[in-house]
Each structure stands twice: as C-alpha cells, then as structure tokens.
Amino acid sequence: MQGLTRAVRTCQGTLKLANLQHLVLRDTAEMKKVFSRYGFATSSPPTQHKGLENTTVAEVLMTKGEEQVGSWLWCRTTDTVYDAVKQMAQNNIGSLVVVRPGEQELIAGIITERDYLRKVIVQDRASKYTRVGEIMTTQSKLITVTSDTNIFHAMQLMTENHIRHVPVIDRKIVGMISIVDVVRAVVEQQSGDVKRLNEFIKGEYY
C-alpha cells in the first residue's frame, strides 16, 4: 500500500513539474529529459517547435501587419505636441520616433503618451504651442532594438529600463514594438508549450 502511495505521489509530482517546466522548456529534447528522469519512456515528437529565443522582433512586426514602415511611425522635433498626439491617436499607437528636420531624417529621440501626460498635461502646457523637441525623450536615453533581436532580449530591455515602447532600427526606422506585443508573443508561445506538454503526457507522442 505504501508503495502504491509513493508511486501516486511520484506521478503527481511529475505532472506538477511538467506544468512548471513549460515556462522554461526550450525544445522537445528538454521535455524528454524531464520525463525520462522520472522513469517515463519517451521518444521525440515528429516535429520541433520554435522557441521564443528564436522568435525575432521582425516576426512580431509581421504579425502586427507592420512589415511595411510608414511615415505614421515618426514625427519631427519641430512638430507640435498636439499634432504628434493626434497622429498617435489616429494610428492607435502609443509613441512616435522623433527625427530631426531635413532629408537625412536623423533620429533625435522618441515621444510617448507618458511624455505627453507628464510634461504637458501635468505641467498645464498648451499642446498646440509646445514642440515635440521640448518634451521628447532624447536620443541619448533612447533604447532601440534591431529586427533580428530576439523577443527575450527585447523584453529584458523593456523591463530593466521601465519602458513600454522600443523603436526597431536597422540603420533606419523599420517599426515599433510595445510591451503588449512582447507579452502577446510570450503568451502565444507558452500556450503552444502547454498544448504540446498535454499531448506529451497523454501519450500522443510515441
């Protein structure tokens, strides 16, 4: 009886471990290690899934439909804050890359909803008479990623710097990702991990 009880507890512990492991497993080889450690005979599933460490910012941009960059992504330092905020509202985005006037469009910084709230609304300034260059986060403090940056690294940058929007720069502006985009990618990936683990536990992999 005690042996049966220990076996049941071992099985329950294994299942709990499997549910926790979906947060950190990277591929099916690691799944195999977890289950074989507890005496389960397993074999690799027929296909491998793509982990978050291999998911790039470019792929996230494509899921947003932003594979084509547009002027709606940026404004100029000389634009009024009113026009910049209006542009954000019209395009349902929370920030704009700020460029300097001129043909080269050199990046000067970024303006976000937070900049608007803290530096215009709270300070009771007139948005129609305040220039973007006066309230933007300057280039020296600007955090950027490239299109081949993986999502884990992008999430780490956002968390460590307490920011919600990151421009994607490949020598020029190619897009913008937000913490919402990153979280969505993580949730979708982990939902897939849970499904694969459930199938693995149920014995659909032989």
Side-chain angles (χ1 to χ4, degrees):
M1 185 67 178
Q2 291 179 346
L4 178 60
T5 301
R6 283 196 298 270
V8 171
R9 287 178 178 173
T10 299
C11 184
Q12 289 175 337
T14 302
L15 294 178
K16 288 180 180 179
L17 179 63
N19 286 329
L20 291 174
Q21 284 288 336
H22 83 269
L23 297 173
V24 294
L25 288 176
R26 294 294 176 265
D27 54 34
T28 53
E30 292 189 38
M31 285 190 219
K32 185 176 179 180
K33 289 178 184 177
V34 171
F35 285 94
S36 62
R37 187 182 307 162
Y38 290 88
F40 288 88
T42 61
S43 60
S44 298
T47 58
Q48 301 243 339
H49 71 280
K50 183 172 184 174
L52 278 175
E53 73 279 4
N54 295 319
T55 301
T56 64
V57 167
E59 292 171 279
V60 174
L61 289 178
M62 289 183 69
T63 62
K64 293 175 61 179
E66 291 183 15
E67 57 270 29
Q68 296 298 323
V69 69
S71 59
W72 50 272
L73 279 174
W74 66 78
C75 63
R76 291 180 170 78
T77 55
T78 52
D79 291 343
T80 66
V81 172
Y82 174 84
D83 288 334
V85 173
K86 183 178 178 181
Q87 183 173 332
M88 283 189 259
Q90 289 175 339
N91 293 288
N92 194 30
I93 53 179
S95 64
L96 294 172
V97 174
V98 183
V99 298
R100 303 183 190 282
E103 295 181 0
Q104 293 183 330
E105 295 182 340
L106 298 175
I107 296 174
I110 188 173
I111 180 173
T112 67
E113 295 168 327
R114 184 181 298 178
D115 291 322
Y116 173 64
L117 291 173
R118 290 182 175 180
K119 301 173 186 177
V120 176
I121 297 299
V122 173
Q123 296 181 20
D124 197 26
R125 300 170 71 174
S127 62
K128 289 188 176 182
Y129 299 101
T130 304
R131 302 295 174 182
V132 169
E134 298 175 45
I135 70 162
M136 68 180 185
T137 299
T138 60
Q139 184 184 14
S140 61
K141 298 179 181 179
L142 182 62
I143 306 296
T144 66
V145 294
T146 60
S147 59
D148 60 355
T149 301
N150 71 58
I151 289 301
F152 275 133
H153 184 54
M155 182 166 54
Q156 183 181 14
L157 284 174
M158 290 182 178
T159 303
E160 290 177 351
N161 293 281
H162 306 287
I163 54 178
R164 295 180 298 162
H165 305 90
V166 177
V168 184
I169 310 292
D170 291 337
R171 295 187 178 180
K172 61 180 181 179
I173 306 167
V174 297
M176 180 86 69
I177 61 168
S178 69
I179 192 64
V180 174
D181 302 323
V182 173
V183 170
R184 186 181 295 116
V186 171
V187 169
E188 289 177 355
Q189 178 65 40
Q190 294 196 351
S191 295
D193 287 343
V194 171
K195 180 180 178 181
R196 279 183 287 274
L197 278 167
N198 284 333
E199 292 173 350
F200 200 76
I201 292 169
K202 291 175 183 178
E204 295 186 19
Y205 292 142
Y206 300 100

